Amino acid sequence: MSIREILKDMSYGPAPEDSKIVEGWLESHREGFGHFIDGAFTAPGETFEVRNPATGRAIAQVTQGTVSDVDTAVKAARKAQKSWAKLSGHERARYLYAIARHVQQHARFLAVLEAIDNGKPIRETRDIDVPLVARHFYHHAGWAEIAEDELPGLEPYGVCGQVIPWNFPLLMLSWKIAPALAAGNTVVLKPAEYTPLTALAFAEICAEVGLPAGVVNIVTGDGETGGAIIGHDDIDKVAFTGSTEVGKTIRLQTAGSGKGLTLELGGKSPFVVFADADIDAAVEGVVDAIWFNQGQVCCAGARILVAEAVAERFETLLARRMETLVVGDPLDKGTDMGAIVHPVQLERIKELVAQGEAEGVTLRQGTAPDGCFYPPTLATNVQPASVLSTEEIFGPVVTLTTFRTPSDAVELANNTRYGLAASIWSENVNLCLDIAAQVKAGVVWINCTNVLDAGAGFGGYRESGFGREGAREGMRAYLKTPAPKGKAEDLPAPSAVPHGGGGSDAVDRTAKLYVGGKQARPDSGYAYTVEGAKGPVGLAGLGNRKDIRNAVEAASKAGGWGKATGHNRAQVIYYFGENISARAGEFAARLEAFGAKPAAAKAEVETAIRRCFWYAAQADKFDGAVHQTKSAHVTLAMNEPLGVMGLVCPTGQPLLGALSLVLPAIAMGNSVVVVPSQTHPLAATDLYQVLETSDVPAGVVNIVTGPRDELAKTLAQHDGVDGMWYVGGTEGAAMVEAESAGNLKQTWTETDDARDWSGRDGQGRAFLHRATQVKNIWVPYGE
Ligand code: NAI
């Protein structure tokens, strides 16, 4: 471009970043890259080509990891794990700190390599990706130092299998590796096949800082290699970021394996603009929301919802701003949007947009050069059911629709199967916080968007996955609660298989079900005999799918419970405990009839009462945090209930076991559908009257007796259930985890059905963590 031309339209001239060092590095690896296993690079195996998406040029040959490569890497990680975990937190911190320093020393190299490999603009890799990578390692060096004091009683998982996507290759690597190492785990990580190069450069940094061999292993390859890591028997925890589709496959693949699992998946995040928003700032917000990283961002604000009153002005300003975006050479410092990561992804974007066009949406587009580029795109006239409103496009395409009232806005915002993020724009902070509380999303940005920091948790609700990365909540995802110790005494006889033996006449003498605050006859009309130590002790309703569905419906209508104050909930739970206490003798007698020795029965009831008081006490104390993140931001980490939870209770200690699940769940504001001990359900059905007299609102606790695993299956499959706890057999646990994949509900399974619930590990904060999900709300302040 000549100076005359530049002066004509006042656009910037080209300002390419020098890529010589990266070219030299690629040249020095011309023979191809092997994996990084046990502290050294392997010789390249069968390789695949990696291309620079902006030029289409092949830049490297990278090894396709085989099952045997993965096995070697897992073995190396296993061998290294014990001594890595044995190091003091301080020693581990020194390594993480050294990695952070070296990332900073190589910052320019990494930024250029990332831009070449991924296609994202150098301005982003230089100013966002790489600084955040260093920040992540510094932050987690800190966690390594203090985790023992700050997160006591937890232990590392062991070996972590981690699979990451291509949209933030190095940043996602740091989100995975830093907390895992800080917690004392070792890792086998697979970068995405489109963008493996910065992970390999990172491996060199690990070698450079002298990280002990086997602590970090990088295996390259495609989804098959990823599958081999996730399916490897000796992996203790799986962490995945990528598409919801693959996330569900991984949920199925890991079901019943006992592996820890966190999933950070797709999104279709709303960007809500109220009439009193600073419109210019909100327009600039859209640029950061959807045109950042070519829209290839899981938390991208992909659905603009704008108040009708300002919609026209907003759209005009936005369209004007869109036209000024410069799409082109990622290495040019003046480029706003670079290349799409791969022609396959470009094709996917084009196809989805074509489907939208066929549905009649109106498109406005900026400009983009030929090649693997896509112009910034604004779609209006979009119906909520349009593919452009529902599908994650993962490209620079945003939809714009209008709303009238704040409650319309909330409804539209939540009209998605995802729940990763939301951005809310209004000068009225009360309104913003009110909407933030109602939006189902793990991250909410008020008057800002796509702000990321290691000090805040990140992760989704619903089909955007579960678990958090970053901050205290992210560290917890790499530490586990030790296995429970001790067996329950007086274990009941093996579970009776329910049958329709009671007959319909017997139902009137039978403990019914408890649904929506009322005792309900089971849909089947049948009951089953409950055996005691000396023969039958009664009949229990034989619940079926229909009863579970009714119970879930009743539970979902009890949403007011989650909005009640912790103080309100505490009062109800205290009262509940008091009322059990008033009938302690009856409860103990019931347990004795099941065969418990008198002292054990009495102790079980007493512990159950104490447990009521403990969780009542926690109801208004298990609070979140104000995280230390960016300057001039308050980042609020709020513990929110999951919603409706299915609780499948242990066989033994039928009163204490059931309450050990119910109490933490309801203390945190969930409503629950409880499947009590199949063998001794009457210990739970005796609670009906206590529930009725304790002011527990209708629908908060629903109880369905009957065949445990059948009922558990219906609960796990139900899309209205947000969380599932199951105590029972290994097969049942595997079934629950697999069936939960449908809506990716959070699960916790315990396969030691004979465990003792009376000890300290039968209650505690671990249960409260499992009953909640953290929402991080970012509120900037100042000018
Ligand atoms: P993907 O989910 O297939 O790939 C992400 C990672 O998972 C890659 O490392 C890949 O090799 C690996 N992988 C694929 N199949 C696997 C399997 N069965 N087991 C284990 N690992 C497996 O995403 P893809 O195909 O690259 O992109 C497709 C769409 O997914 C995008 O258009 C976008 O909508 C979404 N996506 C979402 C991301 C997010 O951060 N939420 C990131 C990447 C893609």
Side-chain angles (χ1 to χ4, degrees):
M1 194 185 272
S2 68
I3 290 177
R4 184 187 293 270
E5 279 168 328
I6 292 170
L7 286 175
K8 211 158 122 202
D9 62 6
M10 289 305 281
S11 62
Y12 294 106
E17 176 72 42
D18 185 353
S19 59
K20 268 200 217 82
I21 19 164
V22 170
E23 303 288 349
W25 183 76
L26 290 169
E27 184 56 29
S28 69
H29 290 92
R30 203 161 31 138
E31 73 291 357
F33 289 89
H35 310 298
F36 183 71
I37 296 177
D38 208 10
F41 278 92
T42 63
E46 196 179 308
T47 58
F48 59 91
E49 213 165 55
V50 176
R51 289 177 179 270
N52 173 344
T55 61
R57 207 163 56 85
I59 48 174
Q61 293 289 330
V62 170
T63 299
Q64 167 66 21
T66 62
V67 170
S68 136
D69 295 338
V70 167
D71 189 53
T72 316
V74 174
K75 285 199 174 104
R78 174 64 62 201
K79 196 175 66 181
Q81 199 268 328
K82 265 211 182 101
S83 40
W84 177 247
K86 250 199 217 132
L87 292 181
S88 68
H90 175 69
E91 285 165 307
R92 284 202 301 277
R94 295 294 287 255
Y95 284 111
L96 289 167
Y97 172 74
I99 291 174
R101 298 281 293 189
H102 282 241
V103 165
Q104 284 181 319
Q105 280 157 17
H106 295 292
R108 212 169 78 92
F109 168 81
L110 293 169
V112 173
L113 180 60
E114 195 77 304
I116 289 177
D117 196 16
N118 170 281
K120 56 171 71 192
I122 184 78
R123 252 185 24 213
E124 287 178 12
T125 59
R126 183 196 61 196
D127 299 345
I128 298 172
D129 296 61
V130 176
L132 280 176
V133 172
R135 160 86 178 121
H136 225 75
F137 279 101
Y138 278 122
H139 181 77
H140 286 90
W143 275 118
E145 189 78 44
I146 63 175
E148 217 176 309
D149 300 323
E150 292 287 319
L151 296 158
L154 302 174
E155 55 191 37
Y157 276 89
V159 178
C160 300
Q162 307 180 315
V163 176
I164 57 168
W166 40 258
N167 54 344
F168 293 89
L170 192 59
L171 185 58
M172 288 304 103
L173 172 147
S174 70
W175 281 25
K176 295 278 178 288
I177 290 184
L181 265 49
N185 302 282
T186 54
V187 306
V188 176
L189 176 136
K190 189 195 83 66
E193 53 273 44
Y194 297 161
T195 55
L197 299 180
T198 42
L200 293 164
F202 177 82
E204 291 185 352
I205 290 179
C206 291
E208 206 173 88
V209 304
L211 190 71
V215 170
V216 166
N217 303 275
I218 309 278
V219 178
T220 50
D222 59 12
E224 244 175 71
T225 315
I229 294 175
I230 282 151
H232 196 290
D233 284 345
D234 209 23
I235 290 283
D236 303 303
K237 182 206 154 106
V238 167
F240 172 77
T241 299
S243 60
T244 292
E245 196 190 342
V246 174
K248 287 186 180 180
T249 314
I250 291 173
R251 169 70 287 189
L252 287 172
Q253 196 185 352
T254 53
S257 66
K259 290 173 188 166
L261 177 64
T262 45
L263 298 171
E264 201 271 274
L265 309 174
K268 192 75 186 174
S269 299
F271 186 100
V272 187
V273 184
F274 285 97
D276 64 351
D278 174 342
I279 298 291
D280 292 322
V283 165
E284 219 40 54
V286 174
V287 176
D288 293 335
I290 192 71
W291 295 319
F292 164 53
N293 200 23
Q294 299 70 250
Q296 302 167 139
V297 182
C298 49
C299 50
R303 294 182 294 137
I304 301 170
L305 310 172
V306 55
E308 229 173 54
V310 291
E312 211 179 303
R313 184 156 71 92
F314 185 81
E315 193 182 322
T316 310
L317 290 173
L318 182 62
R320 202 179 292 161
R321 177 69 177 95
M322 186 174 77
E323 276 158 23
T324 66
L325 293 172
V326 179
V327 184
D329 181 6
L331 285 180
D332 191 319
K333 286 170 230 157
T335 293
D336 296 310
M337 272 173 53
I340 299 297
V341 70
H342 194 274
V344 169
Q345 184 62 17
L346 180 65
E347 215 33 58
R348 185 183 141 84
I349 298 169
K350 285 182 178 168
E351 261 171 41
L352 286 168
V353 172
Q355 281 182 45
E357 274 186 297
E359 287 168 1
V361 307
T362 308
L363 288 185
R364 254 187 266 190
Q365 295 195 307
T367 50
D370 289 342
C372 203
F373 296 90
Y374 197 83
T377 300
L378 170 64
T380 50
N381 251 331
V382 195
Q383 297 304 313
S386 162
V387 67
L388 295 189
S389 305
T390 57
E391 280 294 304
E392 180 177 46
I393 301 172
F394 234 59
V397 182
V398 68
T399 63
L400 185 148
T401 43
T402 60
F403 66 85
R404 285 202 175 142
T405 63
S407 57
D408 286 349
V410 171
E411 201 174 309
L412 286 166
N414 287 338
N415 184 23
T416 167
R417 64 193 174 111
Y418 297 112
L420 192 51
S423 180
I424 300 165
W425 296 75
S426 161
E427 291 299 280
N428 177 349
V429 74
N430 292 359
L431 175 66
C432 289
L433 289 170
D434 182 36
I435 303 298
Q438 295 179 65
V439 168
K440 300 256 183 273
V443 186
V444 182
W445 289 293
I446 290 178
N447 293 321
C448 59
T449 196
N450 278 341
V451 192
L452 304 170
D453 188 76
F458 185 94
Y461 281 24
R462 298 173 163 177
E463 292 188 31
S464 291
F466 45 76
R468 294 289 177 266
E469 298 188 296
R472 181 182 294 267
E473 52 263 39
M475 267 307 284
R476 215 181 299 109
Y478 280 94
L479 289 160
K480 64 174 182 171
T481 319
K485 295 188 186 77
K487 298 278 177 218
E489 281 179 38
D490 295 304
L491 251 194
S495 201
V497 178
H499 54 84
S504 50
D505 286 350
V507 171
D508 291 335
R509 292 183 284 111
T510 297
K512 298 192 176 74
L513 314 181
Y514 191 68
V515 176
K518 293 197 186 83
Q519 299 199 26
R521 287 169 73 103
D523 170 67
S524 69
Y526 286 113
Y528 71 100
T529 309
V530 179
E531 298 291 338
K534 299 179 191 140
V537 290
L539 295 165
L542 191 62
N544 66 15
R545 297 165 149 256
K546 179 115 194 298
D547 299 310
I548 290 285
R549 282 196 218 114
N550 292 341
V552 172
E553 197 183 324
S556 56
K557 284 188 187 143
W561 179 248
K563 294 191 190 104
T565 62
H567 170 66
N568 285 149
R569 289 198 296 269
Q571 274 182 305
V572 171
I573 297 169
Y574 279 127
Y575 195 22
F576 179 67
E578 242 183 88
N579 284 329
I580 297 181
S581 182
R583 297 175 54 182
E586 281 170 52
F587 279 101
R590 178 68 94 182
L591 298 175
E592 281 181 50
F594 291 147
K597 288 183 193 129
K602 189 162 177 258
E604 182 173 340
V605 177
E606 272 171 15
T607 310
I609 295 164
R610 274 206 304 278
R611 204 148 282 179
C612 291
F613 278 67
W614 196 85
Y615 282 114
Q618 285 287 6
D620 63 354
K621 290 172 197 67
F622 184 70
D623 27 39
V626 179
H627 284 317
Q628 293 280 340
T629 54
K630 308 255 185 212
S631 58
H633 278 84
V634 180
T635 311
L636 306 167
M638 317 254 301
N639 291 326
E640 292 197 340
L642 300 182
V644 175
M645 294 182 67
L647 308 178
V648 181
C649 304
T651 305
Q653 296 172 315
L655 177 70
L656 180 62
L659 288 178
S660 299
L661 306 194
V662 170
L663 293 166
I666 64 171
M668 292 298 100
N670 298 284
S671 46
V672 299
V673 177
V674 184
V675 177
S677 163
Q678 178 176 313
T679 316
H680 297 318
L682 304 183
T685 62
D686 287 346
L687 291 170
Y688 296 170
Q689 282 175 358
V690 183
L691 288 164
E692 275 159 13
T693 51
S694 308
D695 298 338
V696 178
V700 171
V701 178
N702 305 274
I703 301 179
V704 180
T705 52
R708 180 186 69 191
D709 286 1
E710 262 174 69
L711 300 176
K713 188 170 181 179
T714 309
L715 274 171
Q717 289 172 337
H718 201 302
D719 280 351
V721 176
D722 306 291
M724 201 50 212
W725 291 355
Y726 172 93
V727 183
T730 346
E731 264 176 42
M735 175 275 291
V736 161
E737 288 173 358
E739 299 296 341
S740 295
N743 70 343
L744 284 171
K745 54 179 71 68
Q746 300 203 23
T747 59
W748 169 61
T749 58
E750 167 70 71
T751 51
D752 181 4
D753 196 16
R755 68 170 278 188
D756 180 12
W757 291 89
S758 63
R760 286 189 70 83
D761 55 10
Q763 81 177 22
R765 290 174 67 87
F767 290 85
L768 300 172
H769 283 298
R770 292 179 194 124
T772 49
Q773 50 195 341
V774 185
K775 177 185 272 181
N776 272 269
I777 305 176
W778 290 74
V779 191
Y781 56 86
E783 286 304 308

